[in-house]
Amino acid sequence: MKQKVPFSNKDIAILNHTHDNKIINLNEESNIQKNTQKIVQQLKKTRGENGFEVKMEIDKYNYTLLPEITKTLLAEDINKLILVFNEPNNKNSLPPLGKIITFIHKSIDYALLINKFVKTENIPYCFMIAYKRYMKENNENKKRKSKTKICTECKYNIICDGLWNSYWNLYGQEGIKPITSKNLITDNERCMISILLKENKISTKNMLKLKVSNEFKDICANCVGSDDVIVTGNNLIEKGVIKKKLTENGFTWSFVDNYKSILKEKGFL
Amino acid sequence: MNIEKIRDDFPVLKRRIDGKQIIYFDNACSSLKPTKVIDAMNYYYENLNACGGFRSGHDLSKETDEICEKSRNDVKKFINAKTEKEIIWTRNTTEAINLVSNSLNFKPYQNVICTTLDHHSSLLPFYMLYNKKIIKNLKLIKIEKDGYFDINKFSEFMDKSTKIVSLNLASNVTGTLSPAKEICKIAHDNGTLVLADGAQFIPHYKIDVQDIDVDFLVFSIHKICGPSGMGVLYGKYHLLEELNPFIVGGGTIRDVKYNNGKISPVFLPPPKKFEAGIQNYAGIIGSGAALEYVQKIGIKNIENYERKLIVYLLKLFSELDGVELIGSNNPVLRGSLFSFILENRNVSPKDVADFMNTGPEKFKIMIRAGAHCTNPFHHQIGVSPLEGYGSVRASLYFYNTLEEIEIFINHLKKFLSIINKK
């Protein structure tokens, strides 16, 4: 690993796991972890108490290790981590987003678990269905991006910048699924799913208590009142993800049997 | 009152959702709109479209102004204000209360009186004054679960430093009706102003602002069959003259002078100085149509009919186990909305509302559950919204029927039989 632009501005450090094996052998997980930690510690010494943000460029060497690297970086108490999907030059430099995205989602999930802040850059809405809140667009890149024909079917077409021109040339529409209300998982639905992943078969009352607990306060921020929870639950029932049953404890909400495959299909797991 | 004929005026009641009939018991939140109101609003969009506020002199603008001023006059007549100049259009009750709280000239030693049963919209504008140290104290009168309104407490809380009493004419949770005339008398004897929140009162009862001698009255039009986004502030004219405008801009000034590099605005008299910017003309026209519609049915007829409904509802409810009424069981002391809590504290009241909406085979019964923007009261009576609890509310209006009440109670019985299974 090298420190490509150590202090690009006051607060941001950009880390890049280079493919140049002559500099550092990155093919071993332990090296990436170790070197990431080492550089961040160096930066911390330089920046002192002010802290700094880390922009992490995703490449073919580090993408499978993103959750682990995220853990390492966040353990170092940095202010903010941004996972950047930069322009691919050729198929050797970066795999298609479909292969990478699971690791990005896992990284965000981990950050949320420990109440940390992770954003992504240059990843379009269709890969971030349940993670829209963690997207960051960079206006400087707009000119080098475009959209494809099926993007017009997507409900985020107007606000989405699309993908790198070079990406379309390399991979075409592979893995691109326009977001429609049918396959959409909203932020509130994501919140309810997260609660059910923690406690399947939960009463409405306990769900309402949990949503305002410290554990879920970040992902439940969109709820104006607890009616959102009921509406969200009923939407998830319509989408075939969960079910509810009236019991002595009121309605009890739980996943359907094949929920894992449904959530995976919708980009949640 | 011919209820069948009245129901025919409301297009939503003809709607079927998933083949199910709508039973709408969420009128305290918002009422349904008759065709007459929808047509009146459409008239603006189909035939006028122009700016009002006497900005332009052409025919479209002139007609817009004429109809809008007629609506203002309709409000004046509806509440028996002295002049239409005492009627200010706002977006809703909340904005009207904020207008008063932000425009009155408070002294740092003064206090304001509210109750624990007040809606957040009545409470928070005055809390903000307290928080910013604009007033010395926000005094809260504790209202018990039965909703009983103790007039003596108001007298005890009032002192010479009380600038204003925020009075809820009808509670949106307990349905408690306040003795407004008596409160106004006590307050005025003390040199204190009274702001009456009429949001839950005006749609159901006759009000005469001159008779009760209230200083300010606020209410929302959307709860009286009118369009959403429309509210009213009534104020005695001399008080409105003293108030500073809250939102300023176009339409509020006679002139903005410019001398020696400085500007000095000259504001118009009320109501114009409070109505900044382009207004919701379609909404204003719809408001007039709504009041006309309700007047035609007769507000006394509405009150009498709704009393029959609530008496029947209270009777059927009293036969149920596992539920506790909030507010008085005396229909004379309460309005036509009705709230209760579940004795089984493992169950969220949200489940009742969800069951009513999704459970019945032939009906979608639309009620509301939660804290109804009265969190302090719900905390006080031990059903904290943070614990996933609260109350269930069914609120009636003149297009509801005895049969709908029976259907509601029958489904409530079914729900209770499952959650109270031993």
Side-chain angles (χ1 to χ4, degrees), chain A residues 204-205 208-209 212 226-227 230 234 244 246-251 253, chain B residues 344-348 350-351 354-355 358 386-388 415 418-419 421:
Chain A
T204 306
K205 195 194 169 199
L208 296 176
K209 267 174 86 173
V212 292
S226 33
D227 276 331
I230 306 297
N234 287 328
K244 70 177 177 188
L246 189 58
T247 68
E248 286 154 45
N249 292 325
F251 280 115
W253 308 79
Chain B
N344 181 346
R345 296 297 168 92
N346 291 323
V347 181
S348 167
K350 296 281 177 190
D351 285 339
D354 190 22
F355 177 78
T358 59
L386 289 179
E387 295 289 311
F415 180 85
I418 296 169
I419 66 158
K421 216 180 267 175

PDB file of all heavy atoms in Angstrom, chain A residues 204-205 208-209 212 226-227 230 234 244 246-251 253, chain B residues 344-348 350-351 354-355 358 386-388 415 418-419 421:
ATOM      1  N   THR A 204     -45.412  -5.445  17.764  1.00  0.00           N
ATOM      2  CA  THR A 204     -45.355  -4.034  17.348  1.00  0.00           C
ATOM      3  C   THR A 204     -44.801  -3.183  18.482  1.00  0.00           C
ATOM      4  O   THR A 204     -43.964  -2.311  18.277  1.00  0.00           O
ATOM      5  CB  THR A 204     -46.769  -3.523  16.979  1.00  0.00           C
ATOM      6  OG1 THR A 204     -47.330  -4.390  16.012  1.00  0.00           O
ATOM      7  CG2 THR A 204     -46.724  -2.114  16.429  1.00  0.00           C
ATOM      8  N   LYS A 205     -45.279  -3.466  19.688  1.00  0.00           N
ATOM      9  CA  LYS A 205     -44.857  -2.650  20.823  1.00  0.00           C
ATOM     10  C   LYS A 205     -43.338  -2.719  21.010  1.00  0.00           C
ATOM     11  O   LYS A 205     -42.675  -1.698  21.198  1.00  0.00           O
ATOM     12  CB  LYS A 205     -45.575  -3.110  22.088  1.00  0.00           C
ATOM     13  CG  LYS A 205     -45.453  -2.076  23.183  1.00  0.00           C
ATOM     14  CD  LYS A 205     -45.831  -2.600  24.517  1.00  0.00           C
ATOM     15  CE  LYS A 205     -45.415  -1.561  25.546  1.00  0.00           C
ATOM     16  NZ  LYS A 205     -45.317  -2.126  26.863  1.00  0.00           N
ATOM     17  N   LEU A 208     -41.525  -0.852  18.264  1.00  0.00           N
ATOM     18  CA  LEU A 208     -41.540   0.597  18.469  1.00  0.00           C
ATOM     19  C   LEU A 208     -40.532   1.012  19.537  1.00  0.00           C
ATOM     20  O   LEU A 208     -39.915   2.074  19.450  1.00  0.00           O
ATOM     21  CB  LEU A 208     -42.949   1.067  18.864  1.00  0.00           C
ATOM     22  CG  LEU A 208     -44.032   0.874  17.795  1.00  0.00           C
ATOM     23  CD1 LEU A 208     -45.402   1.280  18.327  1.00  0.00           C
ATOM     24  CD2 LEU A 208     -43.715   1.673  16.549  1.00  0.00           C
ATOM     25  N   LYS A 209     -40.365   0.160  20.534  1.00  0.00           N
ATOM     26  CA  LYS A 209     -39.379   0.460  21.577  1.00  0.00           C
ATOM     27  C   LYS A 209     -37.963   0.373  21.024  1.00  0.00           C
ATOM     28  O   LYS A 209     -37.123   1.218  21.278  1.00  0.00           O
ATOM     29  CB  LYS A 209     -39.529  -0.542  22.733  1.00  0.00           C
ATOM     30  CG  LYS A 209     -40.445  -0.055  23.822  1.00  0.00           C
ATOM     31  CD  LYS A 209     -40.686  -1.115  24.847  1.00  0.00           C
ATOM     32  CE  LYS A 209     -39.612  -1.137  25.912  1.00  0.00           C
ATOM     33  NZ  LYS A 209     -39.950  -2.076  27.005  1.00  0.00           N
ATOM     34  N   VAL A 212     -36.411   3.253  18.682  1.00  0.00           N
ATOM     35  CA  VAL A 212     -35.876   4.481  19.278  1.00  0.00           C
ATOM     36  C   VAL A 212     -34.714   4.198  20.242  1.00  0.00           C
ATOM     37  O   VAL A 212     -34.229   5.101  20.908  1.00  0.00           O
ATOM     38  CB  VAL A 212     -36.975   5.296  20.006  1.00  0.00           C
ATOM     39  CG1 VAL A 212     -37.960   5.869  19.017  1.00  0.00           C
ATOM     40  CG2 VAL A 212     -37.698   4.446  21.046  1.00  0.00           C
ATOM     41  N   SER A 226     -44.774   6.654  14.843  1.00  0.00           N
ATOM     42  CA  SER A 226     -44.687   5.200  14.765  1.00  0.00           C
ATOM     43  C   SER A 226     -45.634   4.601  13.721  1.00  0.00           C
ATOM     44  O   SER A 226     -45.579   3.418  13.445  1.00  0.00           O
ATOM     45  CB  SER A 226     -44.927   4.600  16.139  1.00  0.00           C
ATOM     46  OG  SER A 226     -45.827   5.380  16.861  1.00  0.00           O
ATOM     47  N   ASP A 227     -46.514   5.417  13.129  1.00  0.00           N
ATOM     48  CA  ASP A 227     -47.328   4.903  12.027  1.00  0.00           C
ATOM     49  C   ASP A 227     -46.455   4.469  10.855  1.00  0.00           C
ATOM     50  O   ASP A 227     -46.826   3.587  10.089  1.00  0.00           O
ATOM     51  CB  ASP A 227     -48.316   5.968  11.541  1.00  0.00           C
ATOM     52  CG  ASP A 227     -49.569   5.971  12.397  1.00  0.00           C
ATOM     53  OD1 ASP A 227     -49.903   4.903  12.926  1.00  0.00           O
ATOM     54  OD2 ASP A 227     -50.191   7.026  12.540  1.00  0.00           O
ATOM     55  N   ILE A 230     -45.825   0.799  10.963  1.00  0.00           N
ATOM     56  CA  ILE A 230     -46.935  -0.054  10.516  1.00  0.00           C
ATOM     57  C   ILE A 230     -47.011  -0.050   8.988  1.00  0.00           C
ATOM     58  O   ILE A 230     -47.137  -1.112   8.355  1.00  0.00           O
ATOM     59  CB  ILE A 230     -48.281   0.455  11.103  1.00  0.00           C
ATOM     60  CG1 ILE A 230     -48.198   0.583  12.624  1.00  0.00           C
ATOM     61  CG2 ILE A 230     -49.427  -0.429  10.665  1.00  0.00           C
ATOM     62  CD1 ILE A 230     -47.964  -0.692  13.373  1.00  0.00           C
ATOM     63  N   ASN A 234     -46.424  -3.273   6.558  1.00  0.00           N
ATOM     64  CA  ASN A 234     -47.406  -3.742   5.578  1.00  0.00           C
ATOM     65  C   ASN A 234     -46.840  -3.718   4.155  1.00  0.00           C
ATOM     66  O   ASN A 234     -47.171  -4.564   3.328  1.00  0.00           O
ATOM     67  CB  ASN A 234     -48.690  -2.915   5.681  1.00  0.00           C
ATOM     68  CG  ASN A 234     -49.477  -3.270   6.936  1.00  0.00           C
ATOM     69  OD1 ASN A 234     -49.460  -4.412   7.395  1.00  0.00           O
ATOM     70  ND2 ASN A 234     -50.141  -2.297   7.524  1.00  0.00           N
ATOM     71  N   LYS A 244     -47.220 -11.046   9.233  1.00  0.00           N
ATOM     72  CA  LYS A 244     -47.615 -10.654  10.594  1.00  0.00           C
ATOM     73  C   LYS A 244     -48.769 -11.540  11.041  1.00  0.00           C
ATOM     74  O   LYS A 244     -49.535 -12.046  10.216  1.00  0.00           O
ATOM     75  CB  LYS A 244     -48.019  -9.179  10.655  1.00  0.00           C
ATOM     76  CG  LYS A 244     -49.312  -8.835   9.960  1.00  0.00           C
ATOM     77  CD  LYS A 244     -49.658  -7.363  10.132  1.00  0.00           C
ATOM     78  CE  LYS A 244     -50.940  -7.036   9.356  1.00  0.00           C
ATOM     79  NZ  LYS A 244     -51.259  -5.633   9.302  1.00  0.00           N
ATOM     80  N   LEU A 246     -51.781 -11.861  14.300  1.00  0.00           N
ATOM     81  CA  LEU A 246     -52.356 -11.272  15.512  1.00  0.00           C
ATOM     82  C   LEU A 246     -52.312 -12.292  16.643  1.00  0.00           C
ATOM     83  O   LEU A 246     -52.860 -13.391  16.521  1.00  0.00           O
ATOM     84  CB  LEU A 246     -53.798 -10.821  15.243  1.00  0.00           C
ATOM     85  CG  LEU A 246     -54.446  -9.990  16.348  1.00  0.00           C
ATOM     86  CD1 LEU A 246     -53.646  -8.732  16.660  1.00  0.00           C
ATOM     87  CD2 LEU A 246     -55.876  -9.604  15.964  1.00  0.00           C
ATOM     88  N   THR A 247     -51.648 -11.918  17.728  1.00  0.00           N
ATOM     89  CA  THR A 247     -51.487 -12.822  18.867  1.00  0.00           C
ATOM     90  C   THR A 247     -51.912 -12.099  20.146  1.00  0.00           C
ATOM     91  O   THR A 247     -52.397 -10.965  20.075  1.00  0.00           O
ATOM     92  CB  THR A 247     -50.007 -13.234  19.038  1.00  0.00           C
ATOM     93  OG1 THR A 247     -49.278 -12.065  19.444  1.00  0.00           O
ATOM     94  CG2 THR A 247     -49.412 -13.767  17.747  1.00  0.00           C
ATOM     95  N   GLU A 248     -51.675 -12.739  21.262  1.00  0.00           N
ATOM     96  CA  GLU A 248     -52.003 -12.085  22.542  1.00  0.00           C
ATOM     97  C   GLU A 248     -51.162 -10.847  22.791  1.00  0.00           C
ATOM     98  O   GLU A 248     -51.499 -10.007  23.623  1.00  0.00           O
ATOM     99  CB  GLU A 248     -51.805 -13.079  23.684  1.00  0.00           C
ATOM    100  CG  GLU A 248     -52.901 -14.118  23.712  1.00  0.00           C
ATOM    101  CD  GLU A 248     -52.462 -15.411  24.355  1.00  0.00           C
ATOM    102  OE1 GLU A 248     -51.821 -15.340  25.409  1.00  0.00           O
ATOM    103  OE2 GLU A 248     -52.756 -16.483  23.793  1.00  0.00           O
ATOM    104  N   ASN A 249     -50.047 -10.748  22.076  1.00  0.00           N
ATOM    105  CA  ASN A 249     -49.203  -9.559  22.195  1.00  0.00           C
ATOM    106  C   ASN A 249     -49.449  -8.573  21.068  1.00  0.00           C
ATOM    107  O   ASN A 249     -48.590  -7.760  20.746  1.00  0.00           O
ATOM    108  CB  ASN A 249     -47.723  -9.953  22.210  1.00  0.00           C
ATOM    109  CG  ASN A 249     -47.368 -10.699  23.469  1.00  0.00           C
ATOM    110  OD1 ASN A 249     -47.907 -10.407  24.539  1.00  0.00           O
ATOM    111  ND2 ASN A 249     -46.495 -11.677  23.337  1.00  0.00           N
ATOM    112  N   GLY A 250     -50.595  -8.654  20.450  1.00  0.00           N
ATOM    113  CA  GLY A 250     -50.866  -7.802  19.294  1.00  0.00           C
ATOM    114  C   GLY A 250     -50.259  -8.420  18.051  1.00  0.00           C
ATOM    115  O   GLY A 250     -50.019  -9.634  18.004  1.00  0.00           O
ATOM    116  N   PHE A 251     -49.973  -7.601  17.046  1.00  0.00           N
ATOM    117  CA  PHE A 251     -49.369  -8.150  15.834  1.00  0.00           C
ATOM    118  C   PHE A 251     -47.909  -8.548  16.104  1.00  0.00           C
ATOM    119  O   PHE A 251     -47.158  -7.794  16.724  1.00  0.00           O
ATOM    120  CB  PHE A 251     -49.422  -7.145  14.690  1.00  0.00           C
ATOM    121  CG  PHE A 251     -50.769  -7.092  14.011  1.00  0.00           C
ATOM    122  CD1 PHE A 251     -51.548  -5.947  14.063  1.00  0.00           C
ATOM    123  CD2 PHE A 251     -51.258  -8.207  13.330  1.00  0.00           C
ATOM    124  CE1 PHE A 251     -52.797  -5.905  13.453  1.00  0.00           C
ATOM    125  CE2 PHE A 251     -52.510  -8.177  12.715  1.00  0.00           C
ATOM    126  CZ  PHE A 251     -53.281  -7.027  12.782  1.00  0.00           C
ATOM    127  N   TRP A 253     -44.489  -9.609  14.090  1.00  0.00           N
ATOM    128  CA  TRP A 253     -43.896  -9.490  12.757  1.00  0.00           C
ATOM    129  C   TRP A 253     -42.713 -10.450  12.657  1.00  0.00           C
ATOM    130  O   TRP A 253     -41.891 -10.532  13.571  1.00  0.00           O
ATOM    131  CB  TRP A 253     -43.413  -8.061  12.518  1.00  0.00           C
ATOM    132  CG  TRP A 253     -44.453  -7.005  12.788  1.00  0.00           C
ATOM    133  CD1 TRP A 253     -44.834  -6.514  14.006  1.00  0.00           C
ATOM    134  CD2 TRP A 253     -45.281  -6.337  11.830  1.00  0.00           C
ATOM    135  NE1 TRP A 253     -45.829  -5.574  13.866  1.00  0.00           N
ATOM    136  CE2 TRP A 253     -46.120  -5.440  12.548  1.00  0.00           C
ATOM    137  CE3 TRP A 253     -45.381  -6.382  10.435  1.00  0.00           C
ATOM    138  CZ2 TRP A 253     -47.047  -4.614  11.913  1.00  0.00           C
ATOM    139  CZ3 TRP A 253     -46.306  -5.549   9.812  1.00  0.00           C
ATOM    140  CH2 TRP A 253     -47.128  -4.684  10.543  1.00  0.00           C
TER     141      TRP A 253
ATOM    142  N   ASN B 344     -54.198  -4.415  28.183  1.00  0.00           N
ATOM    143  CA  ASN B 344     -53.072  -5.309  27.902  1.00  0.00           C
ATOM    144  C   ASN B 344     -51.896  -4.466  27.394  1.00  0.00           C
ATOM    145  O   ASN B 344     -51.841  -4.078  26.225  1.00  0.00           O
ATOM    146  CB  ASN B 344     -53.480  -6.343  26.853  1.00  0.00           C
ATOM    147  CG  ASN B 344     -52.357  -7.322  26.536  1.00  0.00           C
ATOM    148  OD1 ASN B 344     -51.206  -7.090  26.888  1.00  0.00           O
ATOM    149  ND2 ASN B 344     -52.696  -8.411  25.863  1.00  0.00           N
ATOM    150  N   ARG B 345     -50.969  -4.178  28.298  1.00  0.00           N
ATOM    151  CA  ARG B 345     -49.877  -3.263  27.958  1.00  0.00           C
ATOM    152  C   ARG B 345     -48.787  -3.902  27.099  1.00  0.00           C
ATOM    153  O   ARG B 345     -47.791  -3.267  26.782  1.00  0.00           O
ATOM    154  CB  ARG B 345     -49.260  -2.668  29.225  1.00  0.00           C
ATOM    155  CG  ARG B 345     -50.211  -1.798  30.027  1.00  0.00           C
ATOM    156  CD  ARG B 345     -50.640  -0.574  29.220  1.00  0.00           C
ATOM    157  NE  ARG B 345     -51.739   0.129  29.835  1.00  0.00           N
ATOM    158  CZ  ARG B 345     -51.599   1.144  30.691  1.00  0.00           C
ATOM    159  NH1 ARG B 345     -50.419   1.569  31.010  1.00  0.00           N
ATOM    160  NH2 ARG B 345     -52.653   1.730  31.196  1.00  0.00           N
ATOM    161  N   ASN B 346     -48.961  -5.187  26.758  1.00  0.00           N
ATOM    162  CA  ASN B 346     -48.002  -5.793  25.825  1.00  0.00           C
ATOM    163  C   ASN B 346     -48.343  -5.445  24.386  1.00  0.00           C
ATOM    164  O   ASN B 346     -47.577  -5.717  23.473  1.00  0.00           O
ATOM    165  CB  ASN B 346     -48.010  -7.324  25.956  1.00  0.00           C
ATOM    166  CG  ASN B 346     -47.440  -7.755  27.270  1.00  0.00           C
ATOM    167  OD1 ASN B 346     -46.492  -7.147  27.765  1.00  0.00           O
ATOM    168  ND2 ASN B 346     -48.033  -8.786  27.858  1.00  0.00           N
ATOM    169  N   VAL B 347     -49.508  -4.867  24.216  1.00  0.00           N
ATOM    170  CA  VAL B 347     -49.985  -4.608  22.848  1.00  0.00           C
ATOM    171  C   VAL B 347     -49.930  -3.111  22.557  1.00  0.00           C
ATOM    172  O   VAL B 347     -50.375  -2.291  23.358  1.00  0.00           O
ATOM    173  CB  VAL B 347     -51.441  -5.107  22.689  1.00  0.00           C
ATOM    174  CG1 VAL B 347     -51.937  -4.874  21.262  1.00  0.00           C
ATOM    175  CG2 VAL B 347     -51.523  -6.589  23.050  1.00  0.00           C
ATOM    176  N   SER B 348     -49.396  -2.794  21.390  1.00  0.00           N
ATOM    177  CA  SER B 348     -49.348  -1.393  20.983  1.00  0.00           C
ATOM    178  C   SER B 348     -50.715  -0.966  20.459  1.00  0.00           C
ATOM    179  O   SER B 348     -51.379  -1.728  19.754  1.00  0.00           O
ATOM    180  CB  SER B 348     -48.311  -1.217  19.881  1.00  0.00           C
ATOM    181  OG  SER B 348     -48.463   0.044  19.273  1.00  0.00           O
ATOM    182  N   LYS B 350     -51.156   0.886  18.153  1.00  0.00           N
ATOM    183  CA  LYS B 350     -51.007   0.908  16.684  1.00  0.00           C
ATOM    184  C   LYS B 350     -51.606  -0.344  16.070  1.00  0.00           C
ATOM    185  O   LYS B 350     -52.047  -0.331  14.918  1.00  0.00           O
ATOM    186  CB  LYS B 350     -49.529   0.982  16.296  1.00  0.00           C
ATOM    187  CG  LYS B 350     -48.849   2.246  16.728  1.00  0.00           C
ATOM    188  CD  LYS B 350     -49.183   3.374  15.796  1.00  0.00           C
ATOM    189  CE  LYS B 350     -48.559   4.668  16.279  1.00  0.00           C
ATOM    190  NZ  LYS B 350     -49.037   5.832  15.548  1.00  0.00           N
ATOM    191  N   ASP B 351     -51.574  -1.434  16.837  1.00  0.00           N
ATOM    192  CA  ASP B 351     -52.118  -2.695  16.320  1.00  0.00           C
ATOM    193  C   ASP B 351     -53.629  -2.609  16.129  1.00  0.00           C
ATOM    194  O   ASP B 351     -54.180  -3.253  15.237  1.00  0.00           O
ATOM    195  CB  ASP B 351     -51.769  -3.850  17.268  1.00  0.00           C
ATOM    196  CG  ASP B 351     -50.309  -4.254  17.147  1.00  0.00           C
ATOM    197  OD1 ASP B 351     -49.700  -3.949  16.102  1.00  0.00           O
ATOM    198  OD2 ASP B 351     -49.777  -4.859  18.093  1.00  0.00           O
ATOM    199  N   ASP B 354     -54.067  -0.704  12.927  1.00  0.00           N
ATOM    200  CA  ASP B 354     -53.642  -1.552  11.802  1.00  0.00           C
ATOM    201  C   ASP B 354     -54.671  -2.649  11.542  1.00  0.00           C
ATOM    202  O   ASP B 354     -55.020  -2.946  10.394  1.00  0.00           O
ATOM    203  CB  ASP B 354     -52.266  -2.161  12.130  1.00  0.00           C
ATOM    204  CG  ASP B 354     -51.655  -2.857  10.924  1.00  0.00           C
ATOM    205  OD1 ASP B 354     -52.038  -2.531   9.791  1.00  0.00           O
ATOM    206  OD2 ASP B 354     -50.780  -3.724  11.124  1.00  0.00           O
ATOM    207  N   PHE B 355     -55.187  -3.220  12.632  1.00  0.00           N
ATOM    208  CA  PHE B 355     -56.204  -4.274  12.501  1.00  0.00           C
ATOM    209  C   PHE B 355     -57.461  -3.716  11.821  1.00  0.00           C
ATOM    210  O   PHE B 355     -58.042  -4.352  10.940  1.00  0.00           O
ATOM    211  CB  PHE B 355     -56.554  -4.824  13.891  1.00  0.00           C
ATOM    212  CG  PHE B 355     -57.638  -5.867  13.868  1.00  0.00           C
ATOM    213  CD1 PHE B 355     -57.357  -7.177  13.490  1.00  0.00           C
ATOM    214  CD2 PHE B 355     -58.942  -5.546  14.207  1.00  0.00           C
ATOM    215  CE1 PHE B 355     -58.355  -8.144  13.458  1.00  0.00           C
ATOM    216  CE2 PHE B 355     -59.948  -6.504  14.182  1.00  0.00           C
ATOM    217  CZ  PHE B 355     -59.654  -7.802  13.807  1.00  0.00           C
ATOM    218  N   THR B 358     -56.596  -3.199   8.087  1.00  0.00           N
ATOM    219  CA  THR B 358     -56.228  -4.337   7.229  1.00  0.00           C
ATOM    220  C   THR B 358     -57.004  -5.621   7.546  1.00  0.00           C
ATOM    221  O   THR B 358     -57.046  -6.518   6.713  1.00  0.00           O
ATOM    222  CB  THR B 358     -54.714  -4.652   7.362  1.00  0.00           C
ATOM    223  OG1 THR B 358     -54.436  -4.963   8.730  1.00  0.00           O
ATOM    224  CG2 THR B 358     -53.853  -3.488   6.926  1.00  0.00           C
ATOM    225  N   LEU B 386     -42.744   6.576  23.819  1.00  0.00           N
ATOM    226  CA  LEU B 386     -41.395   6.014  23.659  1.00  0.00           C
ATOM    227  C   LEU B 386     -41.350   4.528  24.012  1.00  0.00           C
ATOM    228  O   LEU B 386     -40.438   3.808  23.632  1.00  0.00           O
ATOM    229  CB  LEU B 386     -40.386   6.774  24.529  1.00  0.00           C
ATOM    230  CG  LEU B 386     -40.052   8.184  24.062  1.00  0.00           C
ATOM    231  CD1 LEU B 386     -39.077   8.842  25.016  1.00  0.00           C
ATOM    232  CD2 LEU B 386     -39.478   8.188  22.654  1.00  0.00           C
ATOM    233  N   GLU B 387     -42.357   4.085  24.750  1.00  0.00           N
ATOM    234  CA  GLU B 387     -42.449   2.662  25.113  1.00  0.00           C
ATOM    235  C   GLU B 387     -43.295   1.903  24.101  1.00  0.00           C
ATOM    236  O   GLU B 387     -43.706   0.775  24.346  1.00  0.00           O
ATOM    237  CB  GLU B 387     -43.088   2.529  26.503  1.00  0.00           C
ATOM    238  CG  GLU B 387     -42.257   3.108  27.626  1.00  0.00           C
ATOM    239  CD  GLU B 387     -41.025   2.257  27.902  1.00  0.00           C
ATOM    240  OE1 GLU B 387     -41.167   1.048  28.029  1.00  0.00           O
ATOM    241  OE2 GLU B 387     -39.922   2.827  27.962  1.00  0.00           O
ATOM    242  N   GLY B 388     -43.608   2.560  22.989  1.00  0.00           N
ATOM    243  CA  GLY B 388     -44.430   1.910  21.966  1.00  0.00           C
ATOM    244  C   GLY B 388     -45.897   1.921  22.334  1.00  0.00           C
ATOM    245  O   GLY B 388     -46.690   1.140  21.819  1.00  0.00           O
ATOM    246  N   PHE B 415     -60.855  -7.988  17.933  1.00  0.00           N
ATOM    247  CA  PHE B 415     -59.451  -7.717  18.255  1.00  0.00           C
ATOM    248  C   PHE B 415     -59.178  -8.014  19.729  1.00  0.00           C
ATOM    249  O   PHE B 415     -58.214  -8.708  20.079  1.00  0.00           O
ATOM    250  CB  PHE B 415     -59.124  -6.255  17.931  1.00  0.00           C
ATOM    251  CG  PHE B 415     -57.704  -5.872  18.222  1.00  0.00           C
ATOM    252  CD1 PHE B 415     -56.695  -6.094  17.289  1.00  0.00           C
ATOM    253  CD2 PHE B 415     -57.351  -5.304  19.449  1.00  0.00           C
ATOM    254  CE1 PHE B 415     -55.378  -5.750  17.563  1.00  0.00           C
ATOM    255  CE2 PHE B 415     -56.036  -4.964  19.729  1.00  0.00           C
ATOM    256  CZ  PHE B 415     -55.051  -5.189  18.779  1.00  0.00           C
ATOM    257  N   ILE B 418     -58.874 -11.620  20.842  1.00  0.00           N
ATOM    258  CA  ILE B 418     -57.595 -12.295  20.546  1.00  0.00           C
ATOM    259  C   ILE B 418     -56.503 -11.856  21.524  1.00  0.00           C
ATOM    260  O   ILE B 418     -55.788 -12.676  22.084  1.00  0.00           O
ATOM    261  CB  ILE B 418     -57.167 -12.018  19.089  1.00  0.00           C
ATOM    262  CG1 ILE B 418     -58.198 -12.636  18.149  1.00  0.00           C
ATOM    263  CG2 ILE B 418     -55.772 -12.587  18.805  1.00  0.00           C
ATOM    264  CD1 ILE B 418     -58.059 -12.243  16.709  1.00  0.00           C
ATOM    265  N   ILE B 419     -56.411 -10.547  21.753  1.00  0.00           N
ATOM    266  CA  ILE B 419     -55.307 -10.100  22.633  1.00  0.00           C
ATOM    267  C   ILE B 419     -55.575 -10.380  24.107  1.00  0.00           C
ATOM    268  O   ILE B 419     -54.645 -10.385  24.914  1.00  0.00           O
ATOM    269  CB  ILE B 419     -54.963  -8.602  22.447  1.00  0.00           C
ATOM    270  CG1 ILE B 419     -56.114  -7.696  22.903  1.00  0.00           C
ATOM    271  CG2 ILE B 419     -54.556  -8.283  21.029  1.00  0.00           C
ATOM    272  CD1 ILE B 419     -55.666  -6.292  23.234  1.00  0.00           C
ATOM    273  N   LYS B 421     -57.004 -13.204  25.183  1.00  0.00           N
ATOM    274  CA  LYS B 421     -57.221 -14.646  25.344  1.00  0.00           C
ATOM    275  C   LYS B 421     -56.478 -15.124  26.588  1.00  0.00           C
ATOM    276  O   LYS B 421     -55.317 -14.782  26.785  1.00  0.00           O
ATOM    277  CB  LYS B 421     -56.673 -15.380  24.112  1.00  0.00           C
ATOM    278  CG  LYS B 421     -57.501 -16.568  23.704  1.00  0.00           C
ATOM    279  CD  LYS B 421     -56.884 -17.221  22.495  1.00  0.00           C
ATOM    280  CE  LYS B 421     -57.479 -16.687  21.215  1.00  0.00           C
ATOM    281  NZ  LYS B 421     -56.816 -17.220  20.030  1.00  0.00           N
TER     282      LYS B 421
END
